[in-house]
Amino acid sequence: MRLRVMTYNIKFLALDAAAARRVVRAEALDVLLLQETPRWVLGRWRTRAFARSVGLEVVAGGIAGRACAVAVAPHLLTQVVEGRGVAFEPRWVRFRTGWPTPRGYAYVRLARRVADGASGADPSGTEPSGTDVPRPGARGAGPDDILTLVSVHFSAQPPSRALHVPVYRALAAREAPDVVVGGDLNENPRGPSVVALQPPLRDADPAQAPTQPVDAPRSRLDGFLVGDAVTVRSVHVPDGPDVLVGSDHRPAVLELEW
């Protein structure tokens, strides 16, 4: 299975959403890992609408994802075994010193072959949330037949990132070696929280270009960590006028084989 995967912090679509859509469309993606998706009353609807406007369907995220979400191309919907948002911090953590944002992540599990009896997401949009999608999976699919892709957004505060390391280490240990973790890591590749996940994960491309600030990137805050079962073909960071105004982060795009 060969996949093109983008991780993109879209800044709640608060900047130029049309430009952000063009950035995503230009990459002909199979999987999109989003961070800072729209929140509040219409947040899930706006996230689904954004995904559909670029030819994708949201399969994981919602309130539990804490503004992380995963969308996939229609041709992969019948291979979605499970998609969920996972909140690991309650909302009251905002009242801690520094007003940290409550964190969570979103993941999708893809079967290597089409799930028996799966029909994909409801194109009418009538699924209850469009963001928690448990599916039957492929008959007889074992651990080696499932690839997990996870959208994460590490805290911008070092003490909070340190508190979250055990959560991400447990996630990595559980899903490796068939796993891709992508997101806004809020830390350069040699930062302690990123290094703590290696092994069982590894940096998809130590030479990846920086992603932030968007107009003159110096720091590589966005990228991918992958398990040993994932072969990295390439990682690139898009550029161009739309990238500069679509968000305050540049996305990163991973081409992989599994």
Side-chain angles (χ1 to χ4, degrees):
M1 180 188 290
R2 201 170 247 202
L3 297 174
R4 286 176 62 82
V5 184
M6 174 185 281
T7 179
Y8 198 10
N9 180 325
I10 57 173
K11 190 64 174 175
F12 309 111
L13 295 178
L15 300 181
D16 190 332
R21 286 193 290 270
R22 290 192 293 269
V23 170
V24 175
R25 280 199 207 103
E27 294 297 330
L29 300 174
D30 299 296
V31 181
L32 175 60
L33 307 178
L34 291 168
Q35 302 86 45
E36 293 196 8
T37 59
R39 294 180 176 177
W40 313 119
V41 177
L42 296 178
R44 285 184 291 182
W45 180 87
R46 292 182 65 205
T47 302
R48 290 198 302 272
F50 176 82
R52 288 176 177 173
S53 73
V54 298
L56 306 173
E57 289 284 346
V58 174
V59 293
I63 295 172
R66 298 290 192 246
C68 291
V70 183
V72 303
H75 71 89
L76 288 174
L77 287 171
T78 53
Q79 292 168 252
V80 174
V81 176
E82 183 183 26
R84 288 195 188 283
V86 178
F88 59 81
E89 280 191 321
R91 292 180 177 180
W92 57 258
V93 301
R94 288 186 181 275
F95 298 103
R96 291 179 183 163
T97 301
W99 298 90
T101 300
R103 296 294 168 177
Y105 58 85
Y107 71 86
V108 64
R109 290 195 172 103
L110 296 179
R112 201 182 291 272
R113 56 186 180 275
V114 173
D116 292 340
S119 58
D122 180 356
S124 70
T126 56
E127 285 186 351
S129 69
T131 51
D132 275 351
V133 189
R135 298 188 188 278
R139 182 176 297 166
D144 294 338
D145 296 316
I146 302 294
L147 177 66
T148 303
L149 298 106
V150 190
S151 175
V152 301
H153 189 183
F154 288 9
S155 173
Q157 301 177 2
S160 291
R161 284 202 300 275
L163 286 175
H164 301 158
V165 163
V167 174
Y168 293 119
R169 280 188 60 85
L171 171 67
R174 183 172 68 248
E175 303 297 341
D178 303 276
V179 64
V180 175
V181 176
D184 177 356
L185 306 180
N186 262 318
E187 197 171 79
N188 278 298
R190 300 311 302 169
S193 299
V194 175
V195 170
L197 303 180
Q198 306 174 62
L201 305 181
R202 72 183 193 280
D203 191 339
D205 181 4
Q208 181 201 305
T211 59
Q212 230 270 334
V214 68
D215 56 343
R218 297 181 299 276
S219 298
R220 204 196 90 181
L221 303 187
D222 308 81
F224 299 93
L225 298 168
V226 300
D228 288 342
V230 176
T231 300
V232 175
R233 294 300 180 189
S234 67
V235 178
H236 78 273
V237 174
D239 197 359
D242 287 331
V243 172
L244 296 180
V245 297
S247 175
D248 61 345
H249 286 247
R250 296 189 178 209
V253 179
L254 164 67
E255 185 168 351
L256 67 87
E257 191 163 335
W258 170 72

